[in-house]
Protein backbone atom coordinates (compact mmCIF):
# COMPACT_ATOMS: atom_id res chain seq x y z
CA UNK A 1 0.00 0.00 0.00
CA UNK A 2 1.41 3.42 -0.86
CA UNK A 3 0.33 5.00 2.46
CA UNK A 4 2.77 4.35 5.32
CA UNK A 5 1.71 4.85 8.94
CA UNK A 6 4.45 6.21 11.23
CA UNK A 7 2.74 5.91 14.61
CA UNK A 8 5.74 3.94 15.93
CA UNK A 9 8.01 6.90 15.22
CA UNK A 10 5.79 9.29 17.16
CA UNK A 11 5.36 6.81 20.02
CA UNK A 12 9.14 6.55 20.35
CA UNK A 13 9.55 10.34 20.23
CA UNK A 14 6.90 10.77 22.94
CA UNK A 15 8.16 7.78 24.97
CA UNK A 16 4.61 6.40 25.04
CA UNK A 17 3.36 2.82 24.86
CA UNK A 18 0.75 1.53 22.43
CA UNK A 19 -1.54 0.75 25.38
CA UNK A 20 -1.27 4.26 26.79
CA UNK A 21 -1.96 5.81 23.38
CA UNK A 22 -4.98 3.56 22.83
CA UNK A 23 -6.38 4.50 26.26
CA UNK A 24 -5.86 8.22 25.71
CA UNK A 25 -7.31 8.16 22.18
CA UNK A 26 -10.25 5.96 23.15
CA UNK A 27 -9.72 3.03 20.79
CA UNK A 28 -8.86 -0.57 21.50
CA UNK A 29 -5.22 -1.64 21.44
CA UNK A 30 -6.19 -4.17 18.73
CA UNK A 31 -7.61 -1.43 16.47
CA UNK A 32 -4.57 0.74 17.09
CA UNK A 33 -2.32 -2.21 16.16
CA UNK A 34 -4.22 -2.66 12.88
CA UNK A 35 -3.64 1.01 12.05
CA UNK A 36 -0.05 1.02 13.30
CA UNK A 37 0.91 -2.04 11.28
CA UNK A 38 -0.53 -0.67 8.04
CA UNK A 39 -3.39 -3.18 7.79
CA UNK A 40 -6.19 -0.61 8.11
CA UNK A 41 -8.27 0.12 5.02
CA UNK A 42 -9.44 3.48 6.37
CA UNK A 43 -9.10 5.83 9.33
CA UNK A 44 -11.78 8.18 10.60
CA UNK A 45 -10.86 11.84 10.75
CA UNK A 46 -12.00 11.89 14.38
CA UNK A 47 -9.52 9.11 15.18
CA UNK A 48 -6.75 10.87 13.26
CA UNK A 49 -7.54 14.11 15.10
CA UNK A 50 -7.47 12.32 18.46
CA UNK A 51 -4.12 10.70 17.62
CA UNK A 52 -2.70 14.08 16.63
CA UNK A 53 -4.06 15.68 19.78
CA UNK A 54 -2.57 13.07 22.10
CA UNK A 55 0.75 12.89 20.24
CA UNK A 56 0.90 16.67 19.69
CA UNK A 57 1.63 16.29 15.98
CA UNK A 58 0.21 16.91 12.52
CA UNK A 59 -1.48 14.26 10.32
CA UNK A 60 1.56 14.35 8.04
CA UNK A 61 3.71 13.20 10.97
CA UNK A 62 1.64 10.00 11.12
CA UNK A 63 0.87 9.31 7.45
CA UNK A 64 3.02 9.52 4.35
CA UNK A 65 2.64 8.51 0.74
CA UNK A 66 5.25 6.39 -1.03
CA UNK A 67 4.89 5.59 -4.70
CA UNK A 68 4.81 1.86 -5.36
CA UNK A 69 6.06 2.51 -8.88
CA UNK A 70 8.76 5.21 -9.23
CA UNK A 71 7.42 6.01 -12.72
CA UNK A 72 4.23 7.35 -11.09
CA UNK A 73 6.21 9.97 -9.19
CA UNK A 74 8.16 10.97 -12.29
CA UNK A 75 4.98 11.48 -14.33
CA UNK A 76 3.26 13.54 -11.62
CA UNK A 77 6.09 15.76 -10.42
CA UNK A 78 7.19 18.42 -12.94
Amino acid sequence: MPITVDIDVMLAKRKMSVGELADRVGITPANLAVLKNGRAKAVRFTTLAALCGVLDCQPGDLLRWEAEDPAITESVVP
Side-chain angles (χ1 to χ4, degrees):
M1 169 160 283
I3 301 295
T4 302
V5 181
D6 289 328
I7 290 176
D8 282 339
V9 173
M10 293 307 297
L11 284 172
K13 286 181 179 180
R14 303 297 187 253
K15 296 179 173 70
M16 188 180 297
S17 71
V18 172
E20 181 183 352
L21 179 60
D23 285 343
R24 292 179 63 185
V25 170
I27 62 175
T28 66
N31 283 341
L32 182 57
V34 167
L35 178 60
K36 184 176 79 72
N37 295 325
R39 295 188 318 259
K41 300 289 183 204
V43 60
R44 293 176 187 259
F45 283 151
T46 54
T47 302
L48 184 58
L51 287 166
C52 290
V54 170
L55 293 170
D56 189 29
C57 65
Q58 294 295 313
D61 297 326
L62 300 177
L63 304 172
R64 64 188 155 86
W65 178 77
E66 293 179 350
E68 292 177 345
D69 179 0
I72 293 172
T73 305
E74 293 170 5
S75 67
V76 175
V77 178

